[in-house]
Amino acid sequence: MSVLARLHPLTFCKPSLSIPHFRSRGLASSIAKFSRPAMLTPRILGAVPIVPVSSIKDSLTWYEKLGFVPRTDEDGDADNYALLTLGPVELHLRQVNSSEKLDAEANANGVYVRVEGLDALHDEFKGKGLSSLKGVQDTQWGMREFALSDPDGTLLRFGQIKTSS
């Protein structure tokens, strides 16, 4: 049985044998028991932040400096939207139009990326001369983190669970 048939079994019934047909004969509840689709258990697979940017080209250059790799999307709009990956992390960039001009100082957007080897990653970023890069800090909530902002002011925070030493 196809997936569509499992999800919508009555779509594949003859019109004369639809639920209204059985309802008129008092059999709707009986047939409904046998025609319910096999339900798949929902599973969250991840989240993908969509980051507003003022220039796709400039933002791609900046994110590539961090190690993000652009994914090609032949059906997409490369001038206004980009998909990037950094290991298992996926990030989308969306160019805003001129009436939505971003203010880097007032931008409240942010992305949190959990990592292992935080200090080594910070050292790698430091070697790339990223002016917005902040130092590594241990937090009260048990994380070790550092942050930086993209050219449009979106906060990127990288963190790992603090280990006791």
Side-chain angles (χ1 to χ4, degrees), residues 40-104:
L40 300 175
T41 303
R43 219 171 50 140
I44 305 299
L45 299 177
V48 179
I50 301 172
V51 177
V53 298
S54 58
S55 166
I56 288 288
K57 183 181 175 188
D58 294 345
S59 294
L60 279 173
T61 300
W62 190 85
Y63 280 93
E64 285 180 73
K65 203 176 201 183
L66 297 181
F68 280 88
V69 177
R71 284 188 13 210
T72 57
D73 182 11
E74 294 175 14
D75 297 330
D77 181 1
D79 294 333
N80 295 302
Y81 205 87
L83 290 74
L84 305 163
T85 57
L86 178 63
V89 174
E90 185 174 336
L91 188 68
H92 293 194
L93 306 178
R94 180 186 69 84
Q95 185 162 316
V96 298
N97 62 42
S98 58
S99 66
E100 297 177 285
K101 185 66 180 150
L102 292 171
D103 178 357

Side-chain angles (χ1 to χ4, degrees), residues 71-161:
R71 284 188 13 210
T72 57
D73 182 11
E74 294 175 14
D75 297 330
D77 181 1
D79 294 333
N80 295 302
Y81 205 87
L83 290 74
L84 305 163
T85 57
L86 178 63
V89 174
E90 185 174 336
L91 188 68
H92 293 194
L93 306 178
R94 180 186 69 84
Q95 185 162 316
V96 298
N97 62 42
S98 58
S99 66
E100 297 177 285
K101 185 66 180 150
L102 292 171
D103 178 357
E105 296 299 314
N107 188 341
N109 296 308
V111 177
Y112 195 96
V113 181
R114 290 184 185 246
V115 301
E116 291 178 342
L118 181 88
D119 293 293
L121 183 62
H122 184 266
D123 290 344
E124 182 183 322
F125 285 1
K126 191 187 293 185
K128 295 180 180 190
L130 299 162
S131 61
S132 65
L133 183 65
K134 305 294 183 210
V136 175
Q137 296 181 344
D138 291 331
T139 68
Q140 297 174 343
W141 48 91
M143 297 296 289
R144 187 162 173 75
E145 304 174 338
F146 70 85
L148 67 160
S149 296
D150 78 3
D152 291 302
T154 296
L155 176 70
L156 291 161
R157 188 174 301 277
F158 293 82
Q160 75 178 34
I161 295 173

